[in-house]
Structure formats: structure tokens, C-alpha cells
Amino acid sequence: MALTRETVVRNLWASPALFVTAAFIAFVVVRSDTAVRVGWMLYFAGWLPPLVAVAVCAVRRERPGVGGAFALLVLAGFGLLFWLNHA
């Protein structure tokens, strides 16, 4: 099976779910000071793949579609919840 650009971009849009899940586990399950720092690093690293996907779409003059909006909404929503939990 050939790896196409569309497959790569779809995986970039879907990847925030993995980062948010890992950050959630660090925040809620592990709960140490180090785990909280790692959780924030994972959360912020989760922004990189969708931003790369936005750049790819901008270069190709394509619309990100629903996947792009959903990925960014997941990151923003969970970021707010994580911040409220640690404020």
C-alpha cells in the first residue's frame, strides 16, 4: 500500500487525540510534579502536527475541512480543561 499525501495529512489531523490522551494520563493518573510538566509538554507538542497540516493545506491552497476544525477544537477545548484543572 502506497503512502499518499492524503493519508499523511489525515494522520496529522488525527494525531492530537494521541497527544491529548497522553497528557490526560500524565495529569490525572500519574499526578506527580514531573508528570504535570510532561503533560504540558505533550499537550503543546500536540499542536505541531495540525499546524503542519494547516501549512500543507495553505501551500496547496486546499481547505482543511472538518478534520482540521475538529483537531483544533479538541486541542483548544482540552487545553482549557487542563488549565482549569491546574489553575
Side-chain angles (χ1 to χ4, degrees):
M1 181 173 173
L3 187 66
T4 64
R5 182 197 59 81
E6 181 180 348
T7 304
V8 171
V9 172
R10 283 186 182 184
N11 285 327
L12 288 173
W13 287 129
S15 66
L18 299 172
F19 286 98
V20 166
T21 302
F24 178 80
I25 289 170
F27 289 136
V28 176
V29 176
V30 181
R31 289 188 180 186
S32 69
D33 290 336
T34 304
V36 170
R37 282 193 297 268
V38 169
W40 282 115
M41 285 187 253
L42 287 167
Y43 168 73
F44 287 119
W47 282 91
L48 295 176
L51 293 177
V52 169
V54 165
V56 168
C57 288
V59 166
R60 294 188 165 263
R61 297 181 186 255
E62 296 174 349
R63 299 187 77 177
V66 176
F70 184 72
L72 297 175
L73 264 168
V74 164
L75 283 166
F78 274 92
L80 177 66
L81 292 174
F82 292 156
W83 177 74
L84 288 173
N85 193 33
H86 290 95

